Amino acid sequence: MALQDLCNFQDVFLDSVTTECSSVHFGKKTGCDFMQGSPFSNSSSLFNFYIPVAECLDESPIQYGQISNTQSSSTLLSHDSVLPSFSLPMNPPPASPEPVPLPFPISHGTTTLAFLFQGGVLAAADTRSSCAGQVACPASLKIRPVHSHMVSTTSGTSADCALWVRILSRELRLYQLRHGRRLSISGAAKLLSHMLHPFKGTKLCVAAILCGWDGGEGDGRHDNGGTKTDLGGCTETTKKIAKSLDTSLQKTQSSSPTLGGQQHLTREKIRFSGPSLFYVCSDGTRLQGALFSVGSGSPYAYSILDQDVKWELTLDEATSIARQAVYRATHWDAYSGNHVDIFHISSKGWTRRSREDLKEEYYREKERRERGMRRDVT
Amino acid sequence: MEQPVGAHWHRVRLNTRMISAQSFGDSGKMKEYHYTGPVEQRFSPYAFNGGTVLAVAGEDFAIVASDTRLSEGYSIHSRDSPKCYKLTDTTVIGCSGFHGDCLTLTKIIDARLKMYKHSNNKMMTSGAIAAMLSTILYGRRFFPYYVYNIIGGLDEEGKGAVYSFDPVGSYQRDTYKAGGSASAMLQPLLDNQIGFKNMEGVQHVPLSKDKAVQLVKDVFISAAERDVYTGDALRICVITKEGIDEQTMPLRKD
């Protein structure tokens, strides 16, 4: 459930102010609601934002739009696309006894990486899932698309990553339907981080890099036309947006945080558009950056990436660097291996390069070395 | 006091392996080759009942096979407890691990299938069952079902599909997968024979149904040789668009 749904429960604040939008229910778009982008257009609305955010950290995850088991049988039979009886596990109470010792190990270990460059974002990962010293799956998918303009590289426990990325896609889709535009990568990272927070201290292990393109084609935004993106770099687009904003609006934005009944742009800060990269971890970390590598093979990948990654890379150069980094990591790290997956995200969306078997690369390199040695000898 | 000590010594000599609080308390010294001190025996809600499951997907068929031995520790509870459960006309699930959780899980899946059928007026497809099972398993992330699941069936296009799961819900569509106690022995064999892995210069012929059934039988015979929890009989379910055909074949009973 998006944070706004939690906000709606705070009836005590809505009652005090009467604007036309305060009576709008979620899911129903009236003209004014659409323009506003939010039902809160009153002076106490800022107050509203703080409380739900704090609440969601304490509330049981059941409140995050997950339907509890008791309701599922009666209410959601018609809607199988929602996960009917999937309720997030309850927050383990602080004074709980030790968690049940598991008789089996859960899968871990990987190499994933992502970086920004002039052509967008490149994400790469190996495909080995290991479990207690055995390879549980040699062809697992560690880079999962979240929506048309975002993918998530996942590391940690496979089940946790798979399910949480799925939950994130669902929440982002709901946000898109309610607000008519996609949530930014930064917002998505924050949402994921807040959803994972109740599980801090438990055995849940998710370390994801959210890679995406904010704005881009197909984002149904009704703000100024200044968000047309080109691959010329982030700074240009931000300048474009800044130029086309009303000066009065800018003043409002910078001076007071209150949201009056103004144009829709008031709420939206200077909208960033372009590639973006966030690292989110189940221990609470949320970092923005230009280059990340996660997993047991990440030190090896970092060494290759630090040498060669620059903003000015072409797509082919970037692909080859990413491939090389994963290859080297799979060579040295026992828990990484098999194939390499590469995804590229641009303003048009994500594209996937076909999976490549690194065994072939190893033999090619061996041959190159031998040829090199033979040349030296002769 | 002499008498009890003498008696105690006698007892200790006979049962040198046993933990004896008295041997510790009397002399005040720890015996050298003795495990001393109280040991907390925690109740474990899980048990391991053994069994191996295997699924193979072909061009227009799928095979799910399992042995039928139900064991616990050194005992065999039953020689006729197959681990394949029919879900729909096009899907069979194989569950191995803790038998209690297998039973409950299959009951829950059956109930959810019925609910879906009644509300959507159609049967769940194999892919949908797999996605649903993933969320059912993850719903118990912090007290998991100790079950290794493999779903075999036909997808909407009529091609064979195999979905393999880990106990907490991570899943993947595969061509073949072995799960359960002998999985570590069977999986490499399948990689070689069906996936043609690590073979040079071999023509990749697609697997025919009869060949696949024969391969599954051979593979289980090998597993029964080396894995103590696998044996007694083999139950094979072959899923084609005509329906599900079940065969049983005996395996080693020792």
Side-chain angles (χ1 to χ4, degrees), chain B residues 199-218:
Chain B
M199 288 211 279
E200 296 288 327
V202 160
Q203 199 191 11
H204 290 3
V205 286
L207 204 59
S208 72
K209 188 172 70 145
D210 297 323
K211 211 151 171 255
V213 169
Q214 192 51 50
L215 183 65
V216 165
K217 288 181 179 166
D218 290 339

Side-chain angles (χ1 to χ4, degrees), chain A residues 4-11 14-15 19-34 36-40 174 177-179:
Chain A
Q4 269 81 348
D5 280 343
L6 285 167
C7 297
N8 217 16
F9 295 150
Q10 311 301 326
D11 286 334
L14 285 176
D15 281 345
T19 64
E20 59 228 274
C21 289
S22 61
S23 58
V24 169
H25 296 287
F26 276 106
K28 298 199 188 117
K29 281 216 166 3
T30 63
C32 103
D33 181 48
F34 193 64
Q36 293 280 35
S38 151
F40 299 115
L174 288 172
L177 290 170
R178 290 178 182 133
H179 300 267

Side-chain angles (χ1 to χ4, degrees), chain A residues 148-164:
Chain A
S148 60
H149 284 70
M150 179 154 92
V151 305
S152 165
T153 70
T154 55
S155 163
T157 310
S158 316
D160 290 330
C161 294
L163 269 292
W164 280 102

